[in-house]
Amino acid sequence: MPQRWATKRRLLHTHIGPPRQAAFHFALCVVVVTVILGGSRDRVVATKTISLLRFPGTQQNTTHTPHNTHIPHQQRHQEKSFSSSSASSSTQQDQPPTPCSTPINDENEFIVVFKRYMPQTEHGEIIAKILGGEGPAWKLVERNNPSRFLPSDFALVKVVSNLCSDFVRFLSHNREVKTVLPQRKWPNMLKAIDDMEPEMTAMHQEHMPYRDDSDEDFGKGRKHTDFLFRDNDDWVQQNHTRSRKLHSSLIQVTQLLNAEELWDKSITGEGVKVAIFDTGLRADHPHFRNIRERTDWTDENTLEDGLGHGTFVAGVIASQTECLGFAPDVDLHIFRVFTKDRLSYTSWFLDAFNYAIHTKVNILNLSIGGPDFMDTPFIEKVWEMSANNIIVISAIGNDGPLYGTLNNPADQPDVIGVGGINYHERVASFSSRGMTTWELPSGYGRVKPDIVAYGKAVSGSRIYGGCRLLSGTSVASPVVAGAVALLASSLPARSRWETLNPASMKQTLISSAQVLAQDNIFEQGFGKLDLLASYDFLQNYVPHASVVPASLDLTDCPYMWPYCTQPIYYTGIPITFNATILNGMGVLGELKSEPVFEPGPNGHFLEISFSHCKRIWPWTGWISIGMRVSSAGANYDGEVDGVVRFSVLSAPGSGESVPRVTDIEMPLRVRIIPTPPRERRILFDQFHSLRYPSGYFPRDALWVKNEPFDWNGDHVHTNFKDMYTYLREWGYFVEVLGEPFLCFNASHYSTLLLIDSEEEFFPEEIAKLKKDVEEEGLSVAVFADWYNLDVMRKIKFFDENTRQWWTPATGGANIPALNDLLSPFGISFGDRIFDGEFKLFPSQEEKALFASGTAIASFPAGGRLIFMDLFDQTQEILESVPVKDHVPVLGLLSLRDAKGPSVGTTSTAGKSTNRAPGRMVVFGDSSCIDDAHQRSPCFWLLKSLLTYTSQGLIDDALFALPLPSLGASTGTSTASSPPRPPVSLLQLGQNTYRSTRLQQPVRIVNEENDLTKFSRVKGPQGFHPLPNCERSSFSPVTKATAPITLTWTRLNGQAGEATRPTIVDPNRIYLDPPGLIQDDGHNYLVPYLIVCGAVIGLVFMAVRGRKDRITKRLNL
């Protein structure tokens, strides 16, 4: 289910009507006058060290109630050091914080977020009051930046190391405090080409050597998205001499997008305030006309750009000469938030964001990103800026072509997320792909990026003048930011910001975009930026709400990949599409009534369910459409369609007295086929996948140094995309299970596919799987990964983000949990790690890479084991000694009666009538079918194994291997055995296999890892309650009695004309959201002055009267 966006924003004043504004300003005036007349008093300032003498609670019976004990799972920020995360779908458990580890440079800094804005001088007083006194244990950190005199909603505190957990606990449970989180450090954010580690492409190597990363600091927080990546054609050179030679023939992106046509109309960005959060800019740079303000938020006390990233970004937006920017007359506000060493901190960004809100910038470019969509203070501050009508534009990331690599904040719905394309009108290979992974495992991701723009070999400004070529989504983002600034200046200055907001601008860009013919929706979003079409759309814009995509044709290939690649059918797991609602009518809205589906021809074969956000804020919301086939459509083959209808309600506009309403129609089309036979249906387990950023879930291939985390979602439409493509080409139908094993009918599927599972298993799941295999004929294919306690402790590292030493929550997979699941079948994996290349028969041309996998420790009688010569990576990591061993890594087992049928007959519902037991396949590694770190794929092996599990057929060529001379029970070689082949087969017969050299791994203790904090299955005190199976309310659809008209809108600039909002009942009460800053100060300036004047007059008269009375008494 999509994220339900929180609305907890507490700022200095609110837009809740003139009466409350007057009351607020009356109170403010009283406070100001009281302070003036009351004289000075001693107060705590930010530079003063405030210390802690005692913590309450050691001698007192104090009960603390968490201030936010129920937050949706996707919204919750699960910090690595102090997490109170949920382990079940229905409850939130408050986990005790862990103590601080030994810090680097003794910096245990925490961000204390308050529930309201206040003068920064009050922060120390409040914290001291909460903690019960002053002492040497903590001090307030001075933030000497331009926002120091502004009200703020957070404080930065340095705490003595051994008191961190007490500090966090007492502050977190106080009603004044919203949250307490570690200060996050974002190191090594810029990567020049010389700094990038070369790709390891020498696949002729037999073994990838392990490199010790234990002393490395991996910063997976915010970063500048990389400038240069190799695209499909060539490397973009950044050599100075070459760039100067190319200068005379540089491709001007402004020319490609026809910006000159708007310049000829005197549209140049004048009056638009653009903020650039980056590395700074020289004040006297010859390319820029209007540098209105430069501010430094770092600790280096300089405003200059020592790296060139900020200068380049500013040039793409606003350069007036040489390499031309889009809007040369914009007012540039330069925020230097990164040091010359490419370093930044959360608090620097939060202060800079607050200042941007205060200075009322219009557009903000963020050419930064990272995978941590749980970075709560950062994410919420971005929402806050959007709520204050700042259009935020951000790079989607440079982690392509892998799917599931979207960066935050570009993956937030209120932000315009920008991907990159090359000059061949194709999505660039470096550009990150969707879907969003916030919603996994139980839901499905949203569409991102929103739009794509030129990001390959774009020209921009150098630090001291001149131009250079760079590539990346860092480049594409300012292309869109410059275009947005140019478009904004095309509207009359007096009224432009009554029309323009984050939603209306996104509507403009998306509705005018050109869909690229060869790229899908998760690669290009809603298409390529079309500047002139956006201009035409904006000139006729009427505030309205819309949904994107405007129409949902799930048969449109390749654009609607993956939906168009697999039809739906009866008994299939419902598919879900999460559409985004854009509310150009106001910052807050809601659905006026529940959505409905009106069927078209054959639409009654569908059953539809809806879920949606309760409030549309800020400017955006979501609607989730679930689809499945009714029993009447079990044998239908063809397309069905209909239309989804709903209305969006929002607050009255300026000068209006009644709310606005937009009626939305979304055409829907989907392909239905008869239910496939059971042997063609595969169920992919998504529920038991865990990933970063919820915890430290390490990479699957230990020799990969530049990416320590497993963060791509482990979904068939993200890093298992290639596997999904092959499965569809082979004729399999793939369904995704986002719930426990108790929630599917095993009789519908031939094979349950478990790949790289990190989650624990409920005891009920283990029992059901045993029953499904033995009684329902379900087969199981397991692709495991490495797990070794000593190695897990070896590869722990100090995370600069959280100031904590991280030990992995699991290995590459949770082998102890998998062993529990497989124990009823007599199968287990071992605790050693192996690595190397393999092929299963001499004539095979391709080799596959077994990358940091595990071996089989035990296997039951009647099975087949395949042994391989592999390097023992455990020895190499722990003792630096590479040793080869001949170990079993692949096992096949049939539990069926030898006389029983191998494949059962199938009914029209896809339910097999065969009740013979199923088959088991286990393989010790998943890297060769995972796109994330894949070097030599093994899809040929996957095909053979699925042929075995679904049909009982063994590939004779693939498994015609020599028999090793191995002891069936021990797996050890005999003294007289001949030299063994690199790959060999052992048929167990009546004997079981149990290795004396491989031990089953045990779970790491809770004190060393955070798995129980993030697990949906098991917590520190035991198993969580078994969650209920998702039973969405699917409504049967009545057969249409009259034809309906469907208008299919492909987002290629042919958007329909917007209609004016409908006026509804004026008696309806409509409340604005609490805590939103609005930029309409002119509406209450005169009343404010009148009220303040009256207050000052009354106070003056009261003081003067009191003085006269005192004088009179003295005279008497």
Side-chain angles (χ1 to χ4, degrees):
M1 182 176 291
Q3 168 75 358
R4 297 195 176 192
W5 308 113
T7 59
K8 299 177 180 178
R9 296 293 174 274
R10 298 162 179 84
L11 300 182
L12 185 58
H13 59 286
T14 63
H15 179 60
I16 48 179
R20 292 193 183 183
Q21 287 176 353
F24 171 82
H25 292 108
F26 183 92
L28 180 62
C29 290
V30 172
V31 172
V32 171
V33 173
T34 303
V35 171
I36 294 175
L37 297 178
S40 62
R41 66 181 182 88
D42 295 333
R43 61 178 67 243
V44 181
V45 295
T47 56
K48 178 181 177 181
T49 298
I50 304 175
S51 51
L52 178 66
L53 290 173
R54 60 189 180 277
F55 284 108
T58 54
Q59 301 292 332
Q60 305 171 22
N61 184 12
T62 305
T63 302
H64 298 282
T65 303
H67 62 272
N68 55 349
T69 58
H70 189 73
I71 304 174
H73 175 74
Q74 292 84 1
Q75 176 184 325
R76 187 176 62 251
H77 178 65
Q78 297 171 308
E79 275 297 327
K80 313 305 174 295
S81 50
F82 308 112
S83 173
S84 58
S85 59
S86 168
S88 72
S89 60
S90 59
T91 60
Q92 299 280 338
Q93 294 195 358
D94 189 26
Q95 303 289 346
T98 57
C100 296
S101 301
T102 303
I104 293 178
N105 298 326
D106 199 32
E107 294 180 352
N108 286 307
E109 294 179 352
F110 289 86
I111 293 175
V112 181
V113 182
F114 298 100
K115 294 183 179 180
R116 60 185 176 91
Y117 276 68
M118 66 189 76
Q120 295 187 28
T121 53
E122 296 182 13
H123 292 162
E125 293 178 326
I126 291 178
I127 295 174
K129 181 179 178 181
I130 294 172
L131 297 178
E134 302 179 4
W138 63 275
K139 67 177 180 180
L140 212 60
V141 177
E142 178 182 5
R143 287 138 53 200
N144 188 20
N145 57 49
S147 70
R148 62 187 179 275
F149 300 117
L150 298 177
S152 176
D153 61 342
F154 78 95
L156 185 62
V157 183
K158 184 176 290 188
V159 185
V160 173
S161 180
N162 60 351
L163 295 177
C164 285
S165 60
D166 289 332
F167 175 84
V168 172
R169 181 171 66 254
F170 287 109
L171 282 180
S172 296
H173 292 169
N174 188 271
R175 62 184 180 182
E176 289 272 5
V177 176
K178 183 178 180 182
T179 187
V180 182
L181 299 170
Q183 162 89 311
R184 302 175 75 85
K185 180 180 179 181
W186 304 336
N188 302 320
M189 301 311 168
L190 282 172
K191 295 180 182 178
I193 190 65
D194 294 336
D195 294 333
M196 295 176 63
E197 187 166 344
E199 292 285 341
M200 301 183 68
T201 58
M203 286 299 101
H204 62 277
Q205 296 181 1
E206 185 175 323
H207 168 58
M208 294 294 183
Y210 171 79
R211 293 165 294 178
D212 189 357
D213 299 337
S214 58
D215 296 330
E216 297 289 337
D217 294 331
F218 296 108
K220 284 303 293 184
R222 305 291 150 189
K223 63 180 180 181
H224 285 280
T225 50
D226 303 335
F227 277 144
L228 299 180
F229 273 77
R230 187 172 63 183
D231 207 344
N232 295 323
D233 42 9
D234 58 8
W235 283 89
V236 180
Q237 302 293 327
Q238 63 174 353
N239 180 276
H240 289 192
T241 304
R242 174 174 170 79
S243 294
R244 284 195 293 270
K245 289 180 180 179
L246 287 174
H247 172 63
S248 61
S249 60
L250 287 177
I251 298 175
Q252 298 284 357
V253 175
T254 53
Q255 183 178 3
L256 292 177
L257 293 176
N258 302 303
E260 299 96 332
E261 294 192 28
L262 299 187
W263 297 341
D264 292 341
K265 297 178 181 180
S266 299
I267 299 172
T268 57
E270 183 177 2
V272 178
K273 299 163 71 173
V274 178
I276 299 173
F277 279 47
D278 223 288
T279 60
L281 178 66
R282 288 181 54 211
D284 58 349
H285 198 289
H287 286 185
F288 302 102
R289 193 174 295 164
N290 298 323
I291 303 177
R292 295 303 184 194
E293 184 180 29
R294 297 187 304 152
T295 52
D296 177 42
W297 304 87
T298 73
D299 56 5
E300 291 186 333
N301 194 29
T302 180
L303 298 169
E304 306 303 317
D305 183 4
L307 293 173
H309 191 279
T311 301
F312 187 93
V313 168
V316 174
I317 294 173
S319 175
Q320 64 175 332
T321 184
E322 296 186 282
C323 34
L324 299 177
F326 283 85
D329 286 328
V330 297
D331 296 333
L332 288 178
H333 294 252
I334 306 300
F335 290 71
R336 188 176 185 270
V337 293
F338 283 91
T339 69
K340 60 180 177 59
D341 296 322
R342 311 169 182 180
L343 181 69
S344 189
Y345 287 91
T346 298
S347 61
W348 296 355
F349 268 95
L350 299 184
D351 275 331
F353 285 152
N354 283 341
Y355 191 77
I357 294 173
H358 174 76
T359 54
K360 300 184 179 182
V361 300
N362 306 128
I363 298 167
L364 172 61
N365 183 80
L366 289 170
S367 288
I368 65 169
D372 191 354
F373 55 78
M374 291 181 175
D375 187 1
T376 301
F378 188 96
I379 290 171
E380 292 187 345
K381 194 59 69 173
V382 172
W383 289 343
E384 195 171 288
M385 288 190 297
S386 295
N388 284 276
N389 212 26
I390 297 175
I391 300 172
V392 182
I393 300 163
S394 184
I396 203 68
N398 290 346
D399 297 298
L402 183 65
Y403 282 65
T405 52
L406 300 174
N407 281 209
N408 181 266
D411 62 350
Q412 294 183 213
D414 56 309
V415 175
I416 299 175
V418 183
I421 61 172
N422 57 30
Y423 296 121
H424 301 295
E425 306 295 305
R426 292 297 307 275
V427 172
S429 63
F430 56 73
S431 187
S432 291
R433 272 76 165 162
M435 58 183 172
T436 62
T437 58
W438 297 44
E439 298 81 6
L440 299 179
S442 58
Y444 195 81
R446 291 169 287 108
V447 174
K448 281 283 180 168
D450 295 300
I451 197 167
V452 291
Y454 293 111
K456 177 71 184 291
V458 173
S459 60
S461 303
R462 291 184 176 278
I463 294 178
Y464 299 103
C467 305
R468 61 172 175 169
L469 294 176
L470 292 175
S471 295
T473 54
S474 276
V475 175
S477 179
V479 167
V480 173
V484 167
L486 193 62
L487 292 169
S489 67
S490 70
L491 297 180
R494 182 182 295 253
S495 61
R496 70 174 54 137
W497 299 112
E498 294 179 5
T499 300
L500 292 179
N501 54 58
S504 64
M505 184 54 72
K506 187 179 286 193
Q507 288 172 326
T508 298
L509 298 178
I510 287 176
S511 297
S512 309
Q514 297 179 3
V515 172
L516 305 178
Q518 301 181 62
D519 298 304
N520 68 57
I521 193 170
F522 289 120
E523 295 173 324
Q524 64 171 303
F526 301 102
K528 168 197 164 188
L529 171 67
D530 188 327
L531 181 61
L532 296 185
S534 296
Y535 168 77
D536 293 336
F537 182 91
L538 189 59
Q539 303 314 301
N540 301 308
Y541 182 81
V542 176
H544 66 284
S546 61
V547 63
V548 289
S551 58
L552 201 57
D553 185 356
L554 301 187
T555 67
D556 181 11
C557 269
Y559 183 65
M560 287 307 298
W561 182 95
Y563 294 95
C564 65
T565 62
Q566 180 169 298
I568 63 175
Y569 41 84
Y570 180 57
T571 71
I573 290 179
I575 63 170
T576 302
F577 191 94
N578 290 327
T580 299
I581 300 172
L582 301 175
N583 182 19
M585 301 184 296
V587 65
L588 177 69
E590 63 182 27
L591 264 64
K592 182 182 176 184
S593 59
E594 290 298 312
V596 296
F597 176 72
E598 183 178 344
N602 299 312
H604 61 286
F605 292 141
L606 279 180
E607 292 182 346
I608 301 291
S609 73
F610 296 104
S611 61
H612 57 83
C613 54
K614 293 182 178 178
R615 296 206 292 178
I616 301 170
W617 183 92
W619 309 102
T620 59
W622 56 266
I623 178 171
S624 178
I625 305 171
M627 293 159 273
R628 72 181 184 188
V629 180
S630 66
S631 58
N635 296 310
Y636 179 74
D637 190 346
E639 295 180 354
V640 299
D641 50 30
V643 61
V644 176
R645 304 183 192 275
F646 61 95
S647 299
V648 173
L649 175 73
S650 197
S654 177
E656 300 175 355
S657 59
V658 294
R660 296 170 163 181
V661 172
T662 298
D663 297 322
I664 296 175
E665 294 184 356
M666 184 184 191
L668 170 66
R669 176 179 293 152
V670 64
R671 172 79 188 283
I672 294 177
I673 62 171
T675 304
R678 179 183 185 181
E679 60 266 22
R680 310 311 297 174
R681 295 177 64 177
I682 294 175
L683 187 63
F684 178 87
D685 175 35
Q686 179 69 37
F687 179 79
H688 295 95
S689 173
L690 296 172
R691 69 201 184 283
Y692 182 88
S694 62
Y696 175 17
F697 296 96
R699 59 200 183 275
D700 296 333
L702 289 172
W703 44 260
V704 176
K705 182 179 179 182
N706 61 349
E707 181 54 76
F709 297 114
D710 184 355
W711 65 284
N712 305 124
D714 286 347
H715 192 280
V716 292
H717 300 153
T718 58
N719 53 305
F720 291 112
K721 172 184 178 289
D722 286 350
M723 182 194 73
Y724 169 80
T725 301
Y726 277 106
L727 290 174
R728 290 297 298 126
E729 288 179 356
W730 299 333
Y732 291 105
F733 293 84
V734 184
E735 301 173 40
V736 178
L737 179 67
E739 303 175 276
F741 290 166
L742 279 72
C743 301
F744 76 92
N745 187 335
S747 66
H748 294 159
Y749 305 97
S750 68
T751 305
L752 174 66
L753 192 56
L754 288 84
I755 304 178
D756 191 18
S757 301
E758 294 92 359
E759 181 62 279
E760 296 285 338
F761 295 90
F762 287 104
E764 295 87 343
E765 291 184 288
I766 298 174
K768 181 178 185 292
L769 184 64
K770 181 177 184 296
K771 180 180 179 181
D772 287 343
V773 172
E774 295 178 348
E775 299 179 16
E776 297 292 339
L778 178 70
S779 296
V780 179
V782 177
F783 287 76
D785 226 296
W786 67 271
Y787 191 102
N788 181 276
L789 289 185
D790 293 331
V791 171
M792 290 165 63
R793 295 182 178 115
K794 174 75 172 179
I795 67 170
K796 72 177 181 179
F797 64 89
F798 187 83
D799 177 34
E800 289 285 2
N801 285 336
T802 61
R803 298 291 198 275
Q804 293 285 307
W805 282 100
W806 279 18
T807 298
T810 68
N814 190 342
I815 296 300
L818 282 174
N819 285 347
D820 289 345
L821 182 71
L822 298 174
S823 60
F825 309 102
I827 301 172
S828 67
F829 291 104
D831 63 348
R832 288 162 61 193
I833 306 171
F834 297 93
D835 185 271
E837 288 188 321
F838 69 92
K839 60 180 182 179
L840 293 186
F841 52 94
S843 61
Q844 180 183 343
E845 296 181 359
E846 303 177 71
K847 284 187 175 182
L849 182 63
F850 192 92
S852 303
T854 188
I856 298 171
S858 63
F859 209 74
R864 301 182 181 206
L865 286 177
I866 293 181
F867 289 70
M868 298 181 186
D869 275 350
L870 298 170
F871 283 91
D872 188 338
Q873 205 172 21
T874 317
Q875 292 289 101
E876 185 177 358
I877 294 173
L878 300 179
E879 303 177 14
S880 301
V881 179
V883 177
K884 262 193 174 182
D885 203 347
H886 198 65
V887 290
V889 296
L890 174 60
L892 291 81
L893 175 68
S894 176
L895 301 176
R896 297 180 176 230
D897 184 353
K899 297 182 181 180
S902 60
V903 180
T905 59
T906 306
S907 67
T908 57
K911 189 172 182 179
S912 175
T913 60
N914 176 28
R915 289 294 184 267
R919 305 176 183 89
M920 306 291 295
V921 166
V922 294
F923 187 61
D925 188 38
S926 66
S927 296
C928 60
I929 57 174
D930 186 342
D931 300 343
H933 303 299
Q934 188 183 96
R935 293 295 182 263
S936 297
C938 64
F939 296 118
W940 49 269
L941 176 61
L942 175 66
K943 183 178 182 180
S944 296
L945 297 181
L946 291 179
T947 300
Y948 173 71
T949 60
S950 62
Q951 303 177 50
L953 302 177
I954 293 181
D955 188 338
D956 293 335
L958 193 63
F959 295 106
L961 300 172
L963 297 177
S965 179
L966 296 176
S969 61
T970 65
T972 57
S973 299
T974 62
S976 60
S977 61
R980 63 192 178 201
V983 181
S984 58
L985 171 67
L986 176 63
Q987 295 184 347
L988 294 177
Q990 299 299 316
N991 298 320
T992 60
Y993 172 83
R994 188 173 303 278
S995 174
T996 58
R997 295 172 295 163
L998 296 174
Q999 304 298 320
Q1000 294 187 31
V1002 296
R1003 289 174 173 82
I1004 195 167
V1005 295
N1006 290 338
E1007 290 76 10
E1008 291 188 74
N1009 78 52
D1010 294 330
L1011 178 60
T1012 55
K1013 295 180 182 179
F1014 315 120
S1015 172
R1016 298 176 294 271
V1017 175
K1018 194 174 184 179
Q1021 307 304 321
F1023 288 98
H1024 296 299
L1026 189 69
N1028 295 325
C1029 297
E1030 181 69 24
R1031 293 290 182 259
S1032 299
S1033 178
F1034 280 88
S1035 301
V1037 178
T1038 304
K1039 187 173 183 178
T1041 57
I1044 63 172
T1045 301
L1046 299 177
T1047 303
W1048 295 97
T1049 303
R1050 188 90 181 274
L1051 295 175
N1052 56 0
Q1054 305 299 319
E1057 183 176 345
T1059 57
R1060 291 191 173 276
T1062 304
I1063 302 300
V1064 299
D1065 183 6
N1067 296 321
R1068 178 182 174 120
I1069 298 176
Y1070 194 90
L1071 296 179
D1072 282 76
L1076 303 181
I1077 286 183
Q1078 298 292 326
D1079 294 337
D1080 55 354
H1082 60 279
N1083 291 336
Y1084 53 79
L1085 180 59
V1086 173
Y1088 174 85
L1089 294 176
I1090 293 174
V1091 172
C1092 282
V1095 171
I1096 293 173
L1098 291 173
V1099 173
F1100 177 79
M1101 293 172 61
V1103 173
R1104 183 61 179 269
R1106 184 183 180 191
K1107 180 179 179 182
D1108 291 343
R1109 289 194 298 272
I1110 294 174
T1111 303
K1112 185 176 180 179
R1113 288 197 192 111
L1114 292 175
N1115 292 335
L1116 293 176

